[in-house]
Amino acid sequence: MPSEGRCWETLQALRSSDKGRLCYHRDWLLRGEDVLEECISVPKLSSYSGWVVDHVLPHKQENQSPSETSSSSRSAPALDQPSLIPTSSVRSLAFSPASPETPDGTKGKHESQHTESMVLQSSRGIKVEGCIRMYELVHRMKGTEGLRQWQEEQERKVRALSEMASEQLKRFDERKELKHHKEFQDLREVMERSSREALGQQEKLKAEHRHRAKILNLKLREAEQQRLRQAEQERLRREEGQGRLRSLYALQEEVLQLRQQLDASDRHRDLLKLDLSAFLTRGNQLCGLISGIIRAASENGFPSAEDQAVAERALQEMRDLLSDLQQEIARACEEKRRRDEEEAQAKRQGSLLQQGPEVHKASPAPSQGPAGKQNEDLQVKVQDSTMQWYQQLQEASGQCVLAFEGLTSSKDSQAKKIKMDLQKAATIPVSQISTIAGSKLKEIFDKIHSLLSGKPVQSGGRSVSVTLSPQGLDFVQYKLAEKFVKQGEEEVASHHEAAFPIAVVASGIWELHPRVGDLILAHLHKKCPYSVPFYPAFREGMALEDYQRMLGYQVKDSKVEQQDNFLKRMSGMIRLYAAIIQLRWPYGSRQESHPHGLNHGWRWLAQILNMEPLSDVTATLLFDFLEVCGNALMKQYQAQFWKMVLLIKEDYFPRIEAITSSGQMGSFIRLKQFLEKCLQRKEIPVPKGFLTSSFWRS
């Protein structure tokens, strides 16, 4: 059919057109569905088709030949088809693009002519070609406008980004400058603070230097003063030593004279048939003792006060020995005279037997002492029952020490810390006891009772309990009893009034915890054997220092303490013991009796009066005991107590006075005046510092 031929011609013309020779990309589908829509939709002439006919077609017709014009006119009827565009626009559709070949080439000219003929054969092809050209122009114009708008938009964005970057750069520079400024300020403040601290440290060092210089100056002055004092003490010691040495020589001379008197008395041995070897032997021992003291003093430099005291006691013993010897000789002479009289009387009676008188036998009179009283010897040793009680207490104390030996000998730091905490918790409250108010005393008692009961107590900012160690209770009980006795040895010895508050707490603890009371007695008997009463005997082979320790003396570096200090400590412990036996804890139970009451005080007083007195010791302890406990014993035993006081005055005073030297009469005179005043007033005064009801209300 003719129409089919024209379609192929149209396709051929389109293939030969500029659009037909374009290269299309295979990924055109990715551009969107609008491309496919344009291909599927029915081609339509654009409203710009008239513009194409008016501008493109006239320019094309001018360049065509007349033959071509005629042929086109001839073919116009054949191509006449219905169209939506005006007649004038048809002319424009006959335009065809020039061939790419040059106009001089025949082949290009032929193809151009052939193409023009093919294009002019179909009005639809012309329309399509015009639409394509119009579409390209519009698309190009739109693309150009869009590109221009895009460029303007990009330029605007670039300017905005540039301005924003510039502002950010300014802000960054400002923050950086601010940071640098702050760092500079901080550095300057640190430097200023360091400078101030350095100045302060420098001032502090200067002050410390001045303080240390002042302390060093004080220490130098103190050292110089100490040196002067030591030099003065050394001079005084030498003077005292030289005086003691001269005194020892005088004592030795007197002892030797007394020894000669003993030798002079030896002439009575054969006459009176007496054995005086014991007196002579003891005299030789005393002379040897004084000679040994002088020899040791010469080797050590100068004799001590203890050496002088021992020599004085030896001299006194020598005097007593000579006096006893003279009394023995006097008694022997009296006995010889009596026997002579009896023999003479027997002879007279024998001569009168023949006269028948009744024979009268004279009975010998009892031996009389120098004062006309019967000479009865007192005990030197303690009673067996008392000695057994003393040994039982010491054994119980030794067993208690063995019970906590593992705690004291442990090398573990934790065990050592527990031991130290327990010791502080037990001893510090006892050290705080003094003549304070009763409420404070009750707090101390409750703290000690809680510790012994296994409850935790505060000590040194930490909670302490005997349950921290299996051996804690034994350790605390032993240390607590030891501290009570030590308080009597030190605090009560210096301040007699402190005996009563310490004793009332000890009595209350004793009542609630009897084992603590037994340990208190064991410590008291060990440090002060006269509280038993017990006079330790010197055993053969025993060192002198050990014997002095048994007597209660403190021996350090082979030096025995002064007699005054010894009596002061014994006095403090006896006063504490006398206060304990008469006091009870006021907040305790009154149903049971006192665990160690006044009956033990009466026993102690009776036993010490049944024992031979000791020079300077017995008088001191009797005075302290009666001053503290005499009022309570007077109220308890009444007439029996006054009989005891009369016995002391009439029988015991002469015994004490007989063994006391002239330099040791102070304690004896004090006891004598005290009892004489009490007998005159018929009352023992209440001791100073006794706890009254007002004390517990405070």
Side-chain angles (χ1 to χ4, degrees):
M1 293 179 64
S3 60
E4 293 180 356
R6 286 194 296 271
C7 289
W8 286 110
E9 292 175 356
T10 302
L11 293 174
Q12 187 66 31
L14 290 173
R15 183 186 302 173
S16 301
S17 65
D18 294 339
K19 292 292 182 177
R21 291 193 296 271
L22 291 175
C23 294
Y24 293 92
H25 295 284
R26 296 180 180 180
D27 56 347
W28 60 274
L29 291 176
L30 300 177
R31 300 178 184 178
E33 296 181 358
D34 53 341
V35 177
L36 187 62
E37 288 290 335
E38 292 177 358
C39 298
I40 298 176
S41 60
V42 179
K44 294 181 181 181
L45 290 177
S46 173
S47 59
Y48 296 99
S49 301
W51 181 83
V52 173
V53 175
D54 293 336
H55 293 79
V56 176
L57 191 59
H59 179 73
K60 185 71 179 177
Q61 288 178 355
E62 290 178 359
N63 296 325
Q64 289 180 350
S65 62
S67 60
E68 292 177 353
T69 307
S70 61
S71 62
S72 62
S73 61
R74 285 194 304 266
S75 61
L79 296 174
D80 188 14
Q81 290 182 356
S83 178
L84 297 175
I85 58 174
T87 306
S88 60
S89 64
V90 174
R91 292 190 306 266
S92 64
L93 297 177
F95 175 80
S96 176
S99 175
E101 299 290 333
T102 58
D104 295 334
T106 57
K107 184 178 179 178
K109 182 178 180 182
H110 176 76
E111 288 180 357
S112 176
Q113 293 177 357
H114 179 73
T115 304
E116 290 179 358
S117 61
M118 289 179 66
V119 169
L120 292 177
Q121 289 178 3
S122 176
S123 60
R124 181 177 295 179
I126 295 172
K127 292 179 182 180
V128 170
E129 182 70 16
C131 290
I132 291 173
R133 294 290 182 91
M134 191 66 186
Y135 178 78
E136 288 178 352
L137 181 61
V138 172
H139 186 71
R140 189 179 298 110
M141 293 174 65
K142 288 182 179 180
T144 303
E145 182 66 19
L147 179 62
R148 185 184 62 78
Q149 293 178 358
W150 181 83
Q151 289 178 347
E152 292 178 355
E153 181 69 20
Q154 294 300 318
E155 290 176 356
R156 187 173 65 254
K157 289 181 178 180
V158 168
R159 286 194 300 273
L161 290 174
S162 177
E163 292 176 357
M164 184 174 65
S166 178
E167 291 296 329
Q168 290 180 353
L169 182 60
K170 289 180 181 180
R171 302 290 84 78
F172 176 76
D173 293 338
E174 291 175 356
R175 286 194 296 270
K176 187 176 181 180
E177 184 178 0
L178 179 61
K179 182 179 179 181
H180 289 169
H181 180 70
K182 287 183 177 180
E183 290 178 353
F184 176 74
Q185 291 292 337
D186 294 341
L187 181 60
R188 186 167 63 182
E189 290 177 0
V190 169
M191 293 178 64
E192 291 177 354
R193 185 166 59 252
S194 300
S195 178
R196 288 194 300 270
E197 291 178 355
L199 291 176
Q201 188 68 18
Q202 186 177 4
E203 292 297 329
K204 184 178 179 181
L205 291 175
K206 289 181 180 180
E208 290 180 356
H209 177 70
R210 290 192 295 269
H211 180 66
R212 289 176 181 174
K214 186 183 297 184
I215 291 176
L216 288 176
N217 292 332
L218 290 175
K219 287 183 177 180
L220 288 175
R221 286 197 295 270
E222 290 178 357
E224 182 64 20
Q225 293 175 359
Q226 181 69 17
R227 187 186 65 80
L228 294 176
R229 284 195 299 269
Q230 289 178 355
E232 182 66 19
Q233 290 175 359
E234 182 66 18
R235 185 182 62 81
L236 294 175
R237 188 184 68 83
R238 288 180 176 275
E239 292 180 357
E240 291 177 357
Q242 292 174 356
R244 293 194 191 101
L245 188 58
R246 289 191 296 270
S247 178
L248 281 178
Y249 286 140
L251 291 174
Q252 186 181 26
E253 184 179 359
E254 186 176 355
V255 167
L256 291 175
Q257 291 176 359
L258 295 176
R259 178 67 181 81
Q260 291 177 359
Q261 294 180 15
L262 289 177
D263 291 337
S265 302
D266 191 39
R267 56 188 174 83
H268 298 283
R269 180 192 309 175
D270 298 332
L271 180 61
L272 302 177
K273 297 181 181 180
L274 292 176
D275 185 8
L276 304 179
S277 59
F279 293 94
L280 297 176
T281 303
R282 184 56 183 166
N284 293 331
Q285 291 177 353
L286 294 175
C287 291
L289 176 62
I290 294 182
S291 299
I293 291 174
I294 294 177
R295 189 183 309 108
S298 300
E299 294 175 356
N300 298 330
F302 295 101
S304 62
E306 182 64 25
D307 295 335
Q308 185 177 3
V310 173
E312 289 177 354
R313 287 197 292 269
L315 176 60
Q316 182 63 35
E317 187 175 354
M318 180 65 81
R319 290 171 181 170
D320 296 340
L321 188 64
L322 182 59
S323 177
D324 294 341
L325 178 58
Q326 291 174 354
Q327 292 177 7
E328 186 70 22
I329 293 174
R331 283 196 295 271
C333 292
E334 181 67 23
E335 183 68 21
K336 185 175 182 302
R337 185 186 59 79
R338 187 179 58 80
R339 284 199 304 268
D340 292 340
E341 291 179 356
E342 289 179 356
E343 290 177 0
Q345 186 177 2
K347 290 178 181 180
R348 287 194 301 269
Q349 290 177 357
S351 63
L352 295 175
L353 286 176
Q354 298 176 358
Q355 301 177 3
E358 187 176 354
V359 180
H360 299 279
K361 294 182 181 180
S363 61
S367 61
Q368 302 291 327
K373 294 185 179 180
Q374 187 175 358
N375 187 12
E376 298 177 356
D377 293 334
L378 297 179
Q379 298 176 1
V380 180
K381 296 176 61 178
V382 70
Q383 295 180 1
D384 294 340
S385 59
T386 304
M387 195 63 190
Q388 291 176 1
W389 175 56
Y390 166 79
Q391 291 176 351
Q392 289 174 0
L393 291 175
Q394 297 304 317
E395 290 176 359
S397 177
Q399 291 175 0
C400 184
V401 173
L402 292 176
F404 62 82
E405 184 179 6
L407 180 62
T408 55
S409 61
S410 176
K411 302 297 182 181
D412 184 36
S413 58
Q414 185 66 23
K416 291 181 179 179
K417 183 179 179 182
I418 292 174
K419 182 189 72 173
M420 187 60 64
D421 291 341
L422 290 175
Q423 184 170 351
K424 289 181 179 179
T427 58
I428 289 178
V430 181
S431 301
Q432 296 172 348
I433 300 175
S434 60
T435 55
I436 57 178
S439 58
K440 297 294 183 180
L441 204 63
K442 188 174 185 302
E443 293 179 6
I444 294 175
F445 177 85
D446 292 339
K447 188 173 184 179
I448 297 174
H449 175 55
S450 299
L451 179 65
L452 292 172
S453 300
K455 299 177 181 178
V457 297
Q458 292 296 322
S459 177
R462 292 194 296 268
S463 179
V464 182
S465 174
V466 295
T467 58
L468 295 175
S469 172
Q471 304 165 354
L473 182 59
D474 296 323
F475 179 76
V476 167
Q477 288 176 343
Y478 186 86
K479 290 297 179 181
L480 183 63
E482 184 181 42
K483 185 61 178 178
F484 273 120
V485 177
K486 191 175 183 65
Q487 284 295 96
E489 184 181 9
E490 297 176 354
E491 182 68 20
V492 179
S494 301
H495 306 90
H496 293 171
E497 296 84 356
F500 296 100
I502 297 174
V504 75
V505 175
S507 177
I509 295 297
W510 194 333
E511 186 173 350
L512 296 175
H513 305 276
R515 191 186 183 195
V516 177
D518 294 340
L519 292 174
I520 289 175
L521 283 177
H523 282 290
L524 183 66
H525 292 169
K526 187 175 182 179
K527 288 192 173 185
C528 178
Y530 314 104
S531 61
V532 179
F534 168 50
Y535 300 159
F538 184 81
R539 295 189 297 271
E540 185 177 357
M542 179 184 293
L544 180 59
E545 294 180 1
D546 295 338
Y547 180 61
Q548 289 168 339
R549 289 191 181 94
M550 288 181 63
L551 292 175
Y553 288 91
Q554 289 182 348
V555 182
K556 295 181 180 178
D557 300 331
S558 301
K559 294 183 180 179
V560 184
E561 66 176 328
Q562 298 293 332
Q563 185 72 7
D564 294 341
N565 188 43
F566 166 73
L567 293 175
K568 183 179 179 181
R569 291 191 304 105
M570 299 298 110
S571 173
M573 287 185 280
I574 285 295
R575 284 180 174 271
L576 178 63
Y577 179 67
I580 288 176
I581 63 177
Q582 64 174 314
L583 291 177
R584 296 195 65 181
W585 182 246
Y587 302 101
S589 175
R590 294 290 180 174
Q591 297 178 357
E592 298 181 359
S593 59
H594 194 292
H596 196 79
L598 285 172
N599 57 325
H600 290 272
W602 183 263
R603 177 197 59 80
W604 180 87
L605 186 60
Q607 287 191 359
I608 203 166
L609 293 178
N610 284 328
M611 299 176 69
E612 286 288 349
L614 296 179
S615 176
D616 210 15
V617 175
T618 305
T620 300
L621 299 184
L622 276 176
F623 172 77
D624 293 322
F625 185 83
L626 292 174
E627 188 180 40
V628 175
C629 195
N631 182 268
L633 290 173
M634 177 191 70
K635 294 178 180 178
Q636 179 76 17
Y637 297 100
Q638 298 179 0
Q640 295 296 326
F641 174 76
W642 290 114
K643 290 180 181 180
M644 185 81 75
V645 173
L646 288 173
L647 176 65
I648 295 173
K649 179 184 177 183
E650 296 176 359
D651 185 67
Y652 212 62
F653 276 175
R655 295 179 181 275
I656 298 176
E657 188 174 7
I659 64 168
T660 305
S661 62
S662 58
Q664 299 175 340
M665 294 295 292
S667 57
F668 170 70
I669 294 174
R670 183 176 55 178
L671 173 63
K672 185 176 180 181
Q673 291 177 352
F674 174 75
L675 289 184
E676 287 178 352
K677 187 181 294 184
C678 293
L679 287 170
Q680 183 180 358
R681 297 179 180 179
K682 295 183 179 180
E683 183 182 8
I684 303 291
V686 177
K688 185 179 180 181
F690 188 78
L691 304 182
T692 60
S693 57
S694 60
F695 173 82
W696 298 106
R697 290 196 299 268
S698 60

